[in-house]
Amino acid sequence: MRTFLTLILLLIGFSTSAFADTLETVRERGFVKCGANQGHRGFSNLSTDGFWTGFDVDLCRAVSAAIFSEPNRVEFAEYPGDVRMTPLRVGEVDLMARNGYWNLPRDNQYDVVYTGIGYYDGQAIMVRNETQVISALELKNVSVCVVADSPQHNAIERFFFNNQITYEEVMVEDEADLPGAYMSGLCDAITASATVLQGIKINAVDPSLHRILPERLSKEPMGPVVRKGDMQWQTIVRWVLFAMINAEELGVNSRNIDTMMETKNPRLRRLLGLDGEFGQALGLNATWAQDIIRNVGNYGEVYERNFGSTSGLMIPRGSNELWTKGGLQYAPPIR
């Protein structure tokens, strides 16, 4: 028995060490392998011509830019929404940009590490404007479409019970069934993640007839995920995101970066690699953050491109605004 247990421990140790130098592996391979989920408008979506776009996709391209000074040295592997951790754990991919929101079981049970929060989401409720309510607390005697036996189902039950609001549940089998059930009039309201509801609203015949209420029934922080056991790779992916947030806070973007190279601002000079050896400490070149900003953009540019007015989704920044503007996006400084 002792010999068997020793063998198992050795195999686990070998498995962990096999993926312990991801940066070297990526450089030898010549590209980053990134897990993607088709059909998440704004986050990751594969066009008919085979080009991936979205917020998650841009995070992967930012990692590529930091390592290779080129944003498109990425191979995207498509996985369905319910396949999240295993491809990362067994080494099929180097990175999952958004594979399920951060919670204790995912942080503790699957040998993966969340490197930061790229997007703050949460469950919301959408109603027709004809209800004339501006808060979920004003709802009463409503029917709500929700996916049966889902986290959203549990959250909506808690919300209405805690606030002593009478309502009726209208169950659907899958999230894909929600738009049809709601638009056909089977229910007065619909509940899902706010980003999912925004997509349903935008695709309605007349989006102005629908309102997403401001309350959030859950916390759903999303972010890049890597395997445990490689601290250097974890640190690189974390600081790619932090560099994009810091760049927006410091006012440097893909359009003005050339004019910023003569800056006297010490914070900006460190970010752009003009002072210090912070890239070397990461195992990257001095211009790693420059290359991210120049080729992908700062956090605000990436958000606007994928969720803003030009994207068609028009999702307000909300919690994803910078901390200096009342939001939650905050990055440690480079110094």
Side-chain angles (χ1 to χ4, degrees):
M1 175 64 73
R2 181 175 298 176
T3 302
F4 177 75
L5 291 175
T6 302
L7 179 60
I8 292 296
L9 290 172
L10 287 172
L11 288 173
I12 292 173
F14 174 77
S15 175
T16 301
S17 64
F19 303 123
D21 199 345
T22 309
L23 178 61
E24 181 180 350
T25 300
V26 167
R27 281 187 168 136
E28 290 178 354
R29 185 196 303 134
F31 57 90
V32 180
K33 289 185 176 180
C34 189
N37 188 356
Q38 160 68 338
H40 274 258
R41 186 178 176 187
F43 289 100
S44 60
N45 194 62
L46 182 63
S47 66
T48 54
D49 58 1
F51 188 74
W52 284 93
T53 60
F55 183 85
D56 303 338
V57 170
D58 281 344
L59 286 179
C60 293
R61 292 199 167 110
V63 173
S64 170
I67 297 170
F68 299 110
S69 301
E70 299 176 28
N72 294 319
R73 292 177 71 168
V74 185
E75 177 183 276
F76 292 98
E78 180 184 345
Y79 297 102
D82 57 349
V83 177
R84 296 186 174 99
M85 301 299 180
T86 300
L88 181 62
R89 295 171 70 185
V90 301
E92 289 183 10
V93 295
D94 309 308
L95 166 68
M96 287 283 193
R98 179 178 179 266
N99 66 316
Y101 63 86
W102 195 347
N103 60 19
L104 178 59
R106 288 173 180 152
D107 205 31
N108 186 53
Q109 297 177 4
Y110 299 110
D111 297 320
V112 299
V113 179
Y114 282 79
T115 61
I117 299 175
Y119 190 93
Y120 291 91
D121 202 357
Q123 184 176 341
I125 300 172
M126 184 167 73
V127 298
R128 297 173 182 83
N129 278 337
E130 64 188 27
T131 61
Q132 297 184 340
V133 300
I134 59 173
S135 167
L137 298 174
E138 298 175 346
L139 295 171
K140 58 182 178 179
N141 298 320
V142 294
S143 56
V144 182
C145 285
V146 61
V147 178
D149 301 320
S150 64
Q152 291 78 22
H153 184 191
N154 294 333
I156 199 74
E157 286 184 337
R158 288 196 305 271
F159 176 79
F160 282 116
F161 176 80
N162 290 339
N163 291 286
Q164 294 297 292
I165 299 171
T166 56
Y167 79 110
E168 175 188 355
E169 296 173 348
V170 179
M171 302 297 186
V172 299
E173 184 177 3
D174 190 82
E175 188 174 277
D177 300 322
L178 285 172
Y182 172 69
M183 295 301 174
S184 65
L186 288 180
C187 49
D188 305 314
I190 185 174
T191 186
S193 294
T195 49
V196 171
L197 296 182
Q198 188 71 21
I200 294 172
K201 176 181 176 180
I202 292 298
N203 289 323
V205 175
D206 187 351
S208 67
L209 297 180
H210 308 275
R211 179 195 303 271
I212 298 174
L213 302 176
E215 289 78 11
R216 294 295 177 264
L217 282 58
S218 66
K219 295 184 291 186
E220 299 178 11
M222 312 288 186
V225 188
V226 298
R227 284 182 296 277
K228 282 183 179 176
D230 189 340
M231 182 59 71
Q232 182 188 33
W233 184 247
Q234 176 184 333
T235 303
I236 287 171
V237 175
R238 173 183 292 123
W239 278 94
V240 165
L241 174 60
F242 287 166
M244 297 167 72
I245 296 170
N246 275 318
E248 183 183 10
E249 183 179 336
L250 293 170
V252 58
N253 57 50
S254 62
R255 299 180 301 278
N256 68 11
I257 188 169
D258 288 327
T259 66
M260 292 289 196
M261 300 305 289
E262 300 301 322
T263 180
K264 303 299 182 183
N265 183 329
R267 296 173 61 202
L268 188 51
R269 290 184 65 82
R270 291 192 294 266
L271 175 67
L272 298 179
L274 302 173
D275 291 338
E277 297 181 348
F278 299 100
Q280 181 180 351
L282 289 170
L284 304 174
N285 60 39
T287 62
W288 66 280
Q290 275 192 51
D291 296 328
I292 294 171
I293 300 163
R294 195 181 301 276
N295 291 287
V296 182
N298 67 27
Y299 182 90
E301 288 181 282
V302 172
Y303 191 98
E304 173 61 26
R305 178 162 62 241
N306 294 295
F307 303 123
S309 57
T310 58
S311 72
L313 286 175
M314 296 179 287
I315 301 176
R317 286 282 294 262
S319 297
N320 293 295
E321 186 58 88
L322 292 179
W323 68 285
T324 54
K325 298 180 179 179
L328 297 176
Q329 285 298 352
Y330 181 101
I334 296 175
R335 64 167 177 249

